[in-house]
């Protein structure tokens, strides 16, 4: 904070400082866990960043809390059963993750559309975090209820994000929360950073100009949700909007919470 005075002494315009900050893109983490409610949530939101990190060598674990078996009335043929839809959507998620270079895909099989912030879900996510030991967790923003004037954030999205944050802190790192996990041989694990997408005021922007096509290709794997609709134009517009204030052609914005500084601190 005290740096501000120094900077203004050197007559660097505030705007330029802001821009320079935006370009300080964090390095690709070693291991990332991306946690979402439904198949396709990840592809609509953070897939450009994941693809970029995968190219840089990050090991990525994608967790889908439901199998998307509620789908949407518009896109689901009347004759399709829920079990059939779940099977198809699971396969689509695997295909999308393959396009992105995501190494592991995990399904928790909670029912779609009625997700609740239960301790059972928190324990399941805590278990995965302790098993895979990610440095970074990627999830949504549980505090955002409304986007613009025509989209109310899906309750499953809010719950998935809320419980993920609770699993990261304090559950994953605290020995005596869920002692049954200790009994399973899962020691506490401290996640270093959380990347929260869909936040009102993102603080970190990842340049996805080199992976935007890959993001769109991955999203197109969710055929049951898109049918004839080509999401390319909308995704390009979102990426442009997200990047334009920071001089980026295409970006994904995040609120980043730093829970533990990198080792080099010492
Ligand atoms: Zn969703």
């Amino acid at each position: 904070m005290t740096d501000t005075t120094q900077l203004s002494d050197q007559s660097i315009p505030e705007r330029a400082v802001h821009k320079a900050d935006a370009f300080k893109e964090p390095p690709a983490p070693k291991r990332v866990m991306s946690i979402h409610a439904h198949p396709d949530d990840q592809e609509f939101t953070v897939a450009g960043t994941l693809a970029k990190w995968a190219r840089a060598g990050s090991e990525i674990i994608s967790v889908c809390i439901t199998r998307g078996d509620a789908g949407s009335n518009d896109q689901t043929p009347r004759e399709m059963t829920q079990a059939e839809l779940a099977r198809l959507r699971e396969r689509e998620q695997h295909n999308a993750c393959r396009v992105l270079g995501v190494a592991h895909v995990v399904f928790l099989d909670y029912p779609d559309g009625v997700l609740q912030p239960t301790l059972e879900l928190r324990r399941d996510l805590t278990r995965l975090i302790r098993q895979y030991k990610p440095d970074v967790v990627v999830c949504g923003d549980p505090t955002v209820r409304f986007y613009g004037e025509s989209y109310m954030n899906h309750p499953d999205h809010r719950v998935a994000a809320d419980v993920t944050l609770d699993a990261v802190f304090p559950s994953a790192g605290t020995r005596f929360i869920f002692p049954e996990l200790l009994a399973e041989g899962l020691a506490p694990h401290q996640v270093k950073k959380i990347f929260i997408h869909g936040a009102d005021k993102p603080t970190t922007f990842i340049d996805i100009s080199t992976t935007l096509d890959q993001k769109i290709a991955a999203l197109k794997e969710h055929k049951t949700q898109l049918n004839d609709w080509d999401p390319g134009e909308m995704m390009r517009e979102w990426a442009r909007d997200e990047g334009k204030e920071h001089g980026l052609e295409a970006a994904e914005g995040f609120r980043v919470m730093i829970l533990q500084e990198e080792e080099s601190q010492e």
Side-chain angles (χ1 to χ4, degrees):
M1 301 299 126
T2 46
D3 286 351
T4 320
T5 336
Q6 284 182 339
L7 288 172
S8 56
D9 285 351
Q10 292 161 14
S11 314
I12 298 173
E14 201 183 314
R15 180 83 188 150
V17 174
H18 187 54
K19 258 190 152 176
D21 276 354
F23 274 101
K24 255 189 270 152
E25 193 172 307
K30 220 154 69 187
R31 200 171 298 147
V32 182
M33 182 172 278
S34 160
I35 305 178
H36 303 273
H38 311 122
D40 82 9
D41 290 348
Q42 171 181 276
E43 284 63 45
F44 269 112
T45 55
V46 301
T49 298
L50 295 184
K52 185 173 191 179
W53 286 349
R55 279 189 205 176
S58 302
E59 182 184 5
I60 303 174
I61 304 102
S62 175
V63 178
C64 213
I65 297 171
T66 79
R67 296 201 295 156
D69 52 296
S72 75
N73 295 342
D74 293 346
Q75 313 290 4
T76 311
R78 280 236 170 248
E79 64 279 10
M80 190 178 282
T81 64
Q82 252 192 310
E84 207 178 330
L85 179 61
R87 256 195 317 276
L88 283 173
R89 296 202 67 188
E90 189 172 332
R91 194 180 318 142
E92 289 172 350
Q93 190 62 47
H94 278 285
N95 292 343
C97 283
R98 197 169 310 123
V99 171
L100 299 174
V102 169
H104 313 272
V105 188
V106 179
F107 285 89
L108 288 179
D109 212 12
Y110 280 75
D112 181 5
V114 290
L115 204 59
Q116 287 289 301
T118 61
L119 287 177
E120 185 197 2
L121 176 56
R122 203 211 287 188
R123 185 191 298 111
D124 283 344
L125 292 176
T126 303
R127 179 183 288 109
L128 290 174
I129 292 168
R130 289 194 188 179
Q131 276 172 346
Y132 286 97
K133 301 179 174 52
D135 310 294
V136 163
V137 165
V138 178
C139 66
D141 186 333
T143 68
V144 183
R145 176 117 203 189
F146 305 108
Y147 287 104
E149 290 174 343
S150 59
Y151 182 64
M152 294 213 292
N153 198 6
H154 193 296
D156 289 0
H157 296 169
R158 284 187 278 124
V159 169
D162 209 13
V163 181
T164 296
L165 296 181
D166 292 347
V168 168
F169 174 84
S171 311
T174 307
R175 188 182 311 279
F176 289 140
I177 298 180
F178 301 131
E180 60 273 36
L181 296 181
L182 269 189
E184 289 176 27
L186 295 170
H189 172 72
Q190 182 69 59
V191 172
K192 293 193 178 85
K193 288 182 190 171
I194 312 181
F195 278 61
I196 299 166
H197 71 78
D200 270 340
K201 290 188 178 66
T203 52
T204 298
F205 293 84
I206 305 291
D207 181 347
I208 61 159
S209 50
T210 56
T211 52
L212 180 55
D213 287 340
Q214 219 175 327
K215 175 180 189 173
I216 294 167
L219 181 56
K220 284 182 179 173
E221 291 294 338
H222 296 280
K223 295 186 172 68
T224 60
Q225 303 309 294
L226 303 175
N227 288 335
D228 294 333
W229 179 57
D230 183 343
E233 203 182 317
M234 190 180 89
M235 300 316 289
R236 285 179 203 289
E237 199 182 310
W238 284 5
R240 219 174 14 245
D241 279 355
E242 203 77 317
K244 71 180 169 209
E245 266 195 47
H246 307 279
L248 299 170
E249 268 173 43
E252 286 169 350
F254 297 89
R255 175 177 182 164
V256 176
M257 297 293 297
I258 301 166
L259 307 178
Q260 194 183 73
E261 297 289 349
E262 302 294 330
E263 284 87 17
S264 59
Q265 279 287 303
E266 295 179 10

